[in-house]
Amino acid sequence: MEWIIINLEQQLAITKKIFELPKEEILQHFYERIMTIPITVRTALKKELISTIGADRTKGVFIRYGWHSGVSDAKRVLAMGITDTIDLIKMGPKFHELHGYLDHVKIEKLEFNAQNQVKRIDIIWKNSFEAAEHLREHGNSQKPVCHNLCGYASGYLSTALNTTFIVKEIECSTMGYEHCRAICMPLDYWDDTLENEDRYYQTVNMLDELDEVTAKLKQERDNLKQANELLKEFTRALWSNQGIQKIIDLLHTTTGNPAYIESESFVNIASSNNIPNFDHSFVNEKILATTLFKINEDLHILKTPIYFGQDIRGYCAYIYTDGRMPSDLDYLLLDKASLSSSIILLNENIKINTEQNVKRNFLSDILEGRLKKEEISKIAYYLKFPPTEKYWMLTVEKSIISEYEQNELQLNEELIRHIHGFFKERNINAIVSQKLNQIIILIAYTSFEALRSKRDTFLQQLHKHCSRRFKKHTLAIGVSSVIDTMDQLSIIYNETLAALRVKNKQKSIYYFEDLELESLLFQLDDDTIVSRFVQKELGHLVSVDKDFDLTKTLYAYIESGMNINSTAKILSMSISGLRYRLSKISDLLNIQLDDTKKLFSIYMALKILRAKGEIEID
């Protein structure tokens, strides 16, 4: 037998020339057996897969199918002893064309890095069978469809060059381009533009995924079961009128997490007994949906709003310590708790509004004189406002400082509710109502005294509480004296109005007790009478005395009992200078400064101007 020995170079030369032979001979040279699959059958298979496992999974199947084909051909090339990088790259398109995947592959660009390793290959695919079949079956596409080609090129290059390559199609003839274009790069060179395409090259065990999905469904079922059990407990709490604290107790018992419920203004309504100390300002912000707040590495707050219709009326929250995070069940339970809390708070709100409306009507009937003394006593005891206790009244006036005014009635109701919350937080027995667009507050004085707060401090807190919420308005508060019986409510209401008649820009709170004799004038219903009185007594003097030097001199003169020496000492003036001023005042007012009757009227007018803040007198 004659042995013919062919060296490596001759083998390579023969291999390269093989591709010049007819396709059938080439296939017989490289493959022991070839099985043909019509394109229409492949297309039918693709449709079956899409309907069975979805388009995304089907894409992965055909990418991996191409990958394995490319790996197989690359191994054949390496077995021939080809080692030159360029030859290895150029052999890939020849095999690609051999299988009938496309008509021609053109290498448009080939880049190497500093270590002479392939960095990037740009290729053009002409007449891709996948693109042609997609156009025939579906028409144009918004995305590339040559998944088989991408998988083949990736598998071939990765095996031939011993580096993981990912090939991504960037232009496809199904998208309206003349030819299909792709970029081939090692995985390490890709950035975000790869768009997670590499995941399609990972083998996915659908049975494992099915087990995982089944486990998740079982967990969801268990969560729903536990949530429904808790919802039943919430419902029982609703029917038995156990209140909002019961909701928190059930939440805490079910999960072990500290929990609390607060109002829309972040005031605590109910809480479990193991709330850790933390700065609540970090989570005191309006949220529209369930939100997780990170206080620090160890402490997290899961918070969800409580809705009344479209309005947020509070928040329900879980607290997580020791770095723990909420589970899916926690989100579900918190949502159920929010819904139940909404119903409880709504019922309480209806109850409170009903009670407040009764109290408001009662106060209005007293001030309008529609109730007899016996009727007042009877209703007052029923409303827990004993008629023989001490009472105090405030009247709040608001003025708009914004360009746009909102509905007056809605604004008043919102302000009333806000003020009522202020008194409720402090356990003060009060009726908050409105009259003539003013907010009237009747306070059982003994409940205020139990607060052990100074009157000025308390009123400043009330003003600040309202001003922070109603920033578009300036608020003034008229404060009455304290009465011993309820049948004097009309008197103290008029006192608050009298106090408010001297309001000015310098103050926000006005006490009736600060007024003196002029308080009688301020209780007149017609304020123009007071203005005319002041104009009559002081009009000419005030009109010419722009710096109020003469006006202040006259006030000091009357206050010192019309004593020249005492007045000069108070004003730190010389006697002669004072006499000059008094003479000028006498001429302007056309009076004699020893006329005590006339000076009394002038004194009253001066005190009115001072009370209104129109003149400043130390």
Side-chain angles (χ1 to χ4, degrees):
M1 177 182 293
E2 183 179 354
W3 293 90
I4 300 174
I5 301 174
I6 302 175
N7 63 30
L8 181 59
E9 291 183 3
Q10 290 174 320
Q11 175 68 43
L12 294 178
I14 292 172
T15 301
K16 293 176 182 177
K17 290 181 180 180
I18 287 286
F19 288 98
E20 299 174 6
L21 297 175
K23 183 175 181 180
E24 291 75 9
E25 295 184 31
I26 302 173
L27 291 171
Q28 290 177 6
H29 177 79
F30 286 111
Y31 306 100
E32 296 177 358
R33 187 174 181 178
I34 293 293
M35 181 181 67
T36 62
I37 301 176
I39 290 178
T40 53
V41 174
R42 182 192 177 281
T43 302
L45 174 62
K46 184 176 182 180
K47 288 182 179 178
E48 290 283 347
L49 287 173
I50 290 174
S51 64
T52 304
I53 62 176
D56 193 62
R57 291 184 181 275
T58 300
K59 175 181 176 179
V61 167
F62 282 101
I63 283 178
R64 289 193 294 277
Y65 172 77
W67 169 277
H68 290 300
S69 298
V71 169
S72 175
D73 287 344
K75 287 180 178 179
R76 294 181 187 278
V77 173
L78 291 172
M80 297 172 187
I82 299 176
T83 57
D84 182 75
T85 300
I86 300 296
D87 287 340
L88 287 170
I89 292 172
K90 289 183 177 180
M91 288 291 283
K94 293 184 182 295
F95 276 98
H96 215 172
E97 295 166 12
L98 178 65
H99 290 297
Y101 294 151
L102 36 68
D103 286 350
H104 181 62
V105 179
K106 179 182 177 182
I107 299 177
E108 213 179 17
K109 180 181 180 182
L110 179 58
E111 291 184 18
F112 291 87
N113 60 19
Q115 290 75 37
N116 202 30
Q117 297 170 330
V118 178
K119 178 180 179 182
R120 172 172 173 156
I121 308 171
D122 289 12
I123 56 177
I124 295 177
W125 292 324
K126 295 183 179 180
N127 195 19
S128 157
F129 87 97
E130 286 183 283
E133 193 67 8
H134 190 282
L135 286 170
R136 186 179 68 81
E137 287 286 326
H138 307 290
N140 288 338
S141 171
Q142 298 294 321
K143 297 180 180 179
V145 300
C146 301
H147 310 316
N148 205 144
L149 301 188
C150 287
Y152 181 93
S154 299
Y156 179 87
L157 289 172
S158 297
T159 305
L161 301 181
N162 196 29
T163 300
T164 302
F165 271 76
I166 298 295
V167 177
K168 181 179 179 183
E169 188 178 13
I170 58 172
E171 294 179 5
C172 187
S173 57
T174 61
M175 301 165 65
Y177 295 100
E178 182 179 2
H179 302 296
C180 302
R181 290 176 177 271
I183 296 174
C184 318
M185 287 197 299
L187 182 59
D188 294 341
Y189 280 93
W190 280 103
D191 54 19
D192 293 340
T193 57
L194 183 60
E195 296 177 337
N196 205 21
E197 282 285 310
D198 55 319
R199 65 189 171 93
Y200 293 108
Y201 294 86
Q202 308 299 320
T203 301
V204 178
N205 188 323
M206 293 187 64
L207 291 177
D208 290 343
E209 284 199 350
L210 185 59
D211 289 341
E212 184 180 344
V213 170
T214 302
K216 287 183 178 178
L217 288 175
K218 183 179 182 298
Q219 183 64 50
E220 289 294 327
R221 183 198 65 187
D222 294 342
N223 287 347
L224 285 173
K225 182 179 179 181
Q226 190 170 356
N228 285 332
E229 289 297 323
L230 185 60
L231 186 58
K232 290 179 183 178
E233 294 291 334
F234 288 159
T235 303
R236 282 192 281 270
L238 290 175
W239 287 114
S240 58
N241 293 321
Q242 295 183 59
I244 204 76
Q245 183 61 46
K246 184 62 176 180
I247 301 297
I248 289 298
D249 293 341
L250 287 170
L251 274 178
H252 177 56
T253 302
T254 303
T255 65
N257 295 318
Y260 65 91
I261 293 175
E262 61 188 5
S263 69
E264 72 272 25
S265 56
F266 311 112
V267 175
N268 186 277
I269 297 175
S271 61
S272 57
N273 57 8
N274 56 343
I275 300 292
N277 292 325
F278 67 96
D279 188 351
H280 281 262
S281 64
F282 287 116
V283 294
N284 286 355
E285 65 178 70
K286 185 176 181 180
I287 56 173
L288 303 179
T290 305
T291 304
L292 181 64
F293 294 91
K294 179 180 179 181
I295 308 302
N296 52 51
E297 292 298 328
D298 295 327
L299 187 63
H300 297 82
I301 310 293
L302 183 65
K303 199 172 185 180
T304 193
I306 299 172
Y307 279 96
F308 287 3
Q310 300 299 317
D311 299 326
I312 294 176
R313 292 299 177 83
Y315 300 94
C316 188
Y318 265 143
I319 301 176
Y320 300 87
T321 57
D322 301 325
R324 292 181 297 113
M325 299 293 286
S327 65
D328 292 340
L329 178 61
D330 291 339
Y331 278 89
L332 189 58
L333 296 182
L334 198 62
D335 183 64
K336 300 293 185 185
S338 172
L339 177 61
S340 300
S341 299
S342 174
I343 297 173
I344 291 177
L345 292 177
L346 180 60
N347 289 337
E348 290 182 356
N349 190 60
I350 292 173
K351 179 181 177 182
I352 290 171
N353 285 343
T354 302
E355 181 181 338
Q356 286 300 310
N357 285 336
V358 172
K359 290 180 178 179
R360 288 161 63 174
N361 291 335
F362 171 62
L363 180 57
S364 296
D365 288 342
I366 293 177
L367 297 181
E368 296 295 333
R370 291 191 288 263
L371 293 177
K372 296 180 181 179
K373 186 174 182 180
E374 295 77 13
E375 293 175 314
I376 293 174
S377 298
K378 183 178 179 180
I379 299 173
Y381 274 117
Y382 171 76
L383 297 177
K384 298 180 181 180
F385 278 82
T388 56
E389 285 194 7
K390 296 190 292 184
Y391 289 95
W392 191 30
M393 188 172 287
L394 314 175
T395 295
V396 181
E397 280 189 354
K398 61 186 182 309
S399 57
I400 190 73
I401 58 175
S402 178
E403 182 179 355
Y404 301 104
E405 175 66 284
Q406 65 185 97
N407 181 277
E408 184 73 19
L409 181 60
Q410 179 184 348
L411 175 65
N412 284 346
E413 288 301 322
E414 189 176 350
L415 181 56
I416 287 172
R417 188 169 62 86
H418 198 61
I419 293 174
H420 181 265
F422 176 85
F423 286 101
K424 184 179 179 181
E425 290 168 14
R426 291 159 178 78
N427 294 318
I428 293 178
N429 195 15
I431 299 176
V432 186
S433 183
Q434 63 174 314
K435 180 181 173 64
L436 301 175
N437 290 323
Q438 298 168 325
I439 307 301
I440 307 168
I441 308 167
L442 176 65
I443 302 171
Y445 199 72
T446 52
S447 64
F448 164 71
E449 289 178 317
L451 189 62
R452 298 185 181 277
S453 173
K454 292 183 179 180
R455 184 180 63 171
D456 293 349
T457 302
F458 173 78
L459 293 173
Q460 290 292 346
Q461 290 174 345
L462 173 62
H463 185 270
K464 185 177 181 180
H465 177 78
C466 296
S467 297
R468 281 188 302 193
R469 180 67 177 270
F470 300 89
K471 297 179 180 179
K472 296 181 179 180
H473 298 78
T474 56
L475 302 175
I477 302 177
V479 185
S480 76
S481 59
V482 179
I483 56 173
D484 294 324
T485 58
M486 185 172 281
D487 55 8
Q488 297 176 308
L489 292 187
S490 295
I491 295 175
I492 59 174
Y493 171 63
N494 288 327
E495 288 181 356
T496 64
L497 299 184
L500 286 172
R501 286 199 178 99
V502 302
K503 66 182 179 182
N504 53 72
K505 295 181 180 180
Q506 284 73 43
K507 295 195 302 181
S508 300
I509 300 172
Y510 305 89
Y511 298 92
F512 177 78
E513 294 170 352
D514 289 345
L515 302 176
E516 297 178 5
L517 290 174
E518 69 273 16
S519 64
L520 298 175
L521 291 174
F522 286 134
Q523 293 188 60
L524 294 173
D525 291 334
D526 191 352
D527 193 54
T528 58
I529 295 176
V530 178
S531 299
R532 288 175 59 190
F533 170 74
V534 173
Q535 179 65 27
K536 170 178 168 294
E537 299 299 329
L538 296 172
H540 191 44
L541 172 63
V542 174
S543 64
V544 300
D545 188 19
K546 302 301 180 184
D547 296 328
F548 298 109
D549 290 335
L550 297 177
T551 306
K552 292 177 181 179
T553 299
L554 178 58
Y555 187 87
Y557 176 70
I558 298 173
E559 280 274 295
S560 62
M562 297 177 289
N563 185 296
I564 294 288
N565 292 326
S566 297
T567 304
K569 186 176 180 181
I570 291 171
L571 298 175
S572 301
M573 292 182 63
S574 64
I575 298 295
S576 59
L578 176 60
R579 290 186 184 279
Y580 172 77
R581 282 193 182 183
L582 292 174
S583 175
K584 192 171 182 179
I585 292 169
S586 178
D587 293 340
L588 288 171
L589 295 178
N590 194 26
I591 63 168
Q592 297 297 320
L593 294 183
D594 57 355
D595 185 345
T596 55
K597 182 178 179 180
K598 185 63 178 177
L599 285 182
F600 178 78
S601 295
I602 290 173
Y603 183 56
M604 287 292 294
L606 288 169
K607 290 185 73 63
I608 290 170
L609 288 181
R610 183 187 182 189
K612 285 187 172 183
E614 295 181 19
I615 59 173
E616 294 184 8
I617 301 176
D618 297 333

